[in-house]
Structures are given as C-alpha cells and as structure tokens.
Amino acid sequence: MAYSNRIHDPAFAKYLDDSRRYAWIFSLLLAAAAVIGFYSYGAFGSEMDNPEALYIGLGIGGMFIVIAGLTNRSRKGGTTWDGKVVDKQVEKKTRRRRAEDMDYHARNYLLYKVVIRSDYGKSHEITAEDDDTVYNYYRVGDRVRYHGSLRSYEKCDKSKDTIIFCNACASLNEMSAERCHRCHCPLLK
C-alpha cells in the first residue's frame, strides 16, 4: 500500500514528448491543408479570389498552430498533490439537443462523479457519462496522488483491485500486466 516509484520511469517522459510532438505535427498538417485548400479555392473557385482566400487560410492555419501551442503548454509541469476520495455521486441528467427536424430531443444519461479533496482542501472531480468503471474503481476514503504532468490519479492502495488504469493514456489494464497494452508505459502498482 504505497504510491509507485515507477512514475520516474523514462517511458513517461518519452510518452509526454511524443504527445507534444504529435500535437505539433498534426496541427502543422492541418494548417498546411487549410492554407493550400483556401489558396486553391481562391485560384480555381468563382466565389472568392486570392489574396482574400489565402488570408482566410492563413488565419485558420494560424488558429490550429495556436491551439497546439496552448495544448502543449497546458501539459507542462503540472503540480503533483495528494488527496482523499471524499464522496461519490450518481446523478440522472437530461440533455436536450436540436435534431435535423428542428425539434428538441431529450437524451437521458447517468453522470458518475468521484470527488477528491486535496490535502490543501481543494475539491476535484472525476466524471464520466454512462460509464461506471472509474466510479467503481475508487472507494470513499481511498488516498490518491494526482500526477500533474500526466493529469492522472494514482490510488495508494491497489491491493484489492483487479484492474488498473494507465497513468499515461488512461487505458484500462489487468492488474497482472506490468506495462500498458496500448502505450507500453509501466503501470503504477
């Protein structure tokens, strides 16, 4: 019953670096597609001419790059803290959506919520719609550690668990596994 020292495994740093790199690559590809697409539309379309179409493409491409930068910035250096599960709740909710026929349709769902209070007194919630896996994984009174750079929680006492979540990619794994079946990072057990 302790937090795992495997959090310092270099695989986690590699996972974070790869995630940041893929976010940049993906956003640059989207930005290039937007610029090329709008430029082509301006050159060959009849509704808009260049340079107006090119400027729109550059603006949209720039937004993709800014979003990637903000996403990568938010992943850096999160604070690690300890806390305790203080409450679990299940709420019946209804979501209204406008359908193609312009009528509103209601969809009922269950919102599963796990409330964690940090040792500094701040409350945090883990929520899921229509999926009680995380809700059942935690028990009121469980000690947890939040790993800020990974934005994930680790339970202190995993002795009674048959499953474990990967702290890098959040995939569900069997407790007997040593590494995540999806990202191959070590499981914190």
Side-chain angles (χ1 to χ4, degrees):
M1 291 191 341
Y3 297 114
S4 175
N5 286 328
R6 299 177 89 187
I7 192 65
H8 304 294
D9 191 292
F12 289 113
K14 182 181 180 326
Y15 177 84
L16 289 172
D17 288 343
D18 288 348
S19 295
R20 288 183 193 109
R21 184 172 34 256
Y22 293 142
W24 279 116
I25 290 169
F26 184 68
S27 67
L28 290 172
L29 289 174
L30 286 175
V35 170
I36 291 168
F38 275 92
Y39 177 79
S40 298
Y41 182 73
F44 303 112
S46 60
E47 293 181 20
M48 190 182 311
D49 292 327
N50 283 323
E52 180 186 6
L54 177 61
Y55 293 150
I56 292 171
L58 288 170
I60 292 172
M63 284 190 314
F64 286 128
I65 292 171
V66 168
I67 289 169
L70 292 173
T71 300
N72 282 336
R73 187 174 138 206
S74 72
R75 291 181 181 168
K76 286 185 178 180
T79 304
T80 297
W81 50 264
D82 292 345
K84 181 179 177 180
V85 176
V86 294
D87 193 16
K88 292 171 47 170
Q89 304 165 2
V90 180
E91 298 177 23
K92 291 182 182 180
K93 297 275 203 175
T94 302
R95 179 177 291 123
R96 289 177 29 143
R97 290 196 180 183
R98 181 175 276 178
E100 291 176 9
D101 60 5
M102 300 307 283
D103 282 341
Y104 282 98
H105 297 276
R107 182 180 90 69
N108 296 321
Y109 65 96
L110 293 175
L111 180 67
Y112 293 93
K113 190 183 301 185
V114 178
V115 181
I116 299 170
R117 181 163 294 122
S118 72
D119 290 347
Y120 302 109
K122 186 174 180 184
S123 289
H124 304 268
E125 294 179 352
I126 306 171
T127 60
E129 292 181 13
D130 289 332
D131 184 357
D132 64 353
T133 309
V134 173
Y135 178 85
N136 291 329
Y137 181 68
Y138 291 102
R139 294 174 210 65
V140 173
D142 280 347
R143 293 288 303 163
V144 296
R145 176 168 287 166
Y146 179 76
H147 297 287
S149 60
L150 294 170
R151 293 194 266 175
S152 65
Y153 294 90
E154 175 190 2
K155 280 175 46 173
C156 183
D157 181 6
K158 304 167 205 88
S159 62
K160 297 176 184 156
D161 295 334
T162 59
I163 60 169
I164 188 168
F165 290 92
C166 174
N167 283 78
C169 70
S171 292
L172 188 60
N173 292 270
E174 296 293 325
M175 186 55 90
S176 59
E178 290 298 316
R179 293 193 167 269
C180 175
H181 66 89
R182 185 169 164 236
C183 71
H184 306 291
C185 283
L187 297 172
L188 301 183
K189 40 185 208 169

